[in-house]
Amino acid sequence: MKIDGMHYRSVTASGQDSITIIDQRWLPFELRFVQLHTLSDVAIAIKDMWTRGAPLIGAVGAYGLCFALRDDTSTTNLEQAYTALLATRPTAINLKWALDAVKNSALPLHGGARISAAFQCAARICDEDVAINEAIGQHGLQLFRQHLDAKPTGSTLNILTHCNAGWLATVDWGTALAPIYMAHDAGLPVHVYVDETRPRNQGASLTAWELQQHGVPFTLIADNTGGHLMQHGLVDLCIVGTDRVTAQGDVCNKIGTYLKALAAKDNNIPFYVALPSPTIDWTVMDGLREIPIEQRSAREITHILGTHTDGTTMEVCITLPQVNTVNYAFDVTPARLVTALITERGIVSPDALREL
């Protein structure tokens, strides 16, 4: 996708020396690029959410394992690095999938061959992510056309999304936003309601920024507004991304997704989930009981980043000091609330997931 007319990927590699990512903590106020050179750099960037989004975490984590091998090709170091990276974000399954791919490509080899194989695998993961997301976009685009065809001529398709599932969450294109970009580029009249997505505000700071850069019409809303919009016929469909989907079609995504799915069900509004196939965890059936839900710092709830009238970026406290908090990063939407899953292989109902 593009920033000020220039094409970017969310992660780019400079040989075996480093990767460059966008430090997303500063968006939308500042566009900062940072270089990661070591396993430690990558672990910090993932854990502290310099970089985020399940597919992108997988891609960046893959390079972290490569850097560990570059510095020490021993199997012991490989296993230790694998464990350290896996612990950085326990909910998103793409990280494990990518680490497994790099590890399995390197293990049969030794020395320099082990390093080369790892870096080749990481590069392949990135390229495949772009192709996968483009295919998701094409399938979603056809779905959007069907919804528009069912509306009166000249109508706008109003889409509600939650969190950020755009190109900042992947290597390029995004998952839930990919069909939105394609629809806009194809001249279809689309408009997006963007949930702010407390407590980290990925909708307000990332999705809104992405859509503005691309010229897609959108309206930023408070998280609690979605149900009201649905009740009054202002939303045609919901589409979100996901960090893990179980074998029975339960969807684990950013906290608040479940509430949107409930509101959509109550108002007979389609609720779609866009995902690459590596996000499916075939080892898990019951998302409510089997998926580990990450709990994050209280500071994400008690503080918020913003800009002063003089343009200074600062973090401020929005509550009383030392309040008790709990900060669950994700929730699980049961398969019964999901209209369909949009994957690179096509569109499928949750109960037919195994047919992909």
Side-chain angles (χ1 to χ4, degrees), residues 28-174:
F29 310 114
E30 298 179 46
L31 178 61
R32 292 190 183 184
F33 293 91
V34 294
Q35 289 188 329
L36 310 178
H37 297 268
T38 66
L39 165 68
S40 178
D41 290 346
V42 169
I44 291 170
I46 294 175
K47 185 176 185 298
D48 292 347
M49 292 182 70
W50 304 10
T51 190
R52 27 70 54 210
L56 185 57
I57 288 172
V60 173
Y63 276 108
L65 203 53
C66 293
F67 294 152
L69 281 171
R70 179 200 61 198
D71 298 335
D72 178 354
T73 61
S74 69
T75 300
T76 298
N77 183 56
L78 174 60
E79 296 288 356
Q80 290 175 345
Y82 176 96
T83 300
L85 286 165
L86 191 59
T88 56
R89 297 295 305 275
T91 300
I93 195 62
N94 298 66
L95 177 59
K96 184 179 186 302
W97 171 83
L99 294 177
D100 284 343
V102 173
K103 178 181 173 181
N104 293 336
S105 71
L107 271 177
L109 306 171
H110 301 279
R114 181 171 273 189
I115 299 171
S116 296
F119 275 98
Q120 289 171 11
C121 181
R124 186 165 60 250
I125 286 170
C126 290
D127 289 341
E128 288 177 353
D129 182 69
V130 177
I132 285 172
N133 295 328
E134 186 173 6
I136 289 172
Q138 292 290 349
H139 291 302
L141 173 60
Q142 298 310 310
L143 196 62
F144 287 6
R145 289 187 188 277
Q146 293 172 19
H147 281 286
L148 263 176
D149 288 345
K151 297 189 69 174
T153 302
S155 297
T156 296
L157 187 67
N158 288 297
I159 303 162
L160 186 143
T161 190
H162 188 69
C163 196
N164 173 256
W167 70 273
L168 288 169
T170 67
V171 179
D172 206 347
W173 280 110

Side-chain angles (χ1 to χ4, degrees), residues 198-199 201 299-305 316-321:
R198 285 282 292 149
N201 297 305
R299 195 174 184 88
E300 294 183 349
I301 295 178
T302 60
H303 290 69
I304 194 167
L305 187 70
V316 297
C317 182
I318 60 172
T319 187
L320 295 171

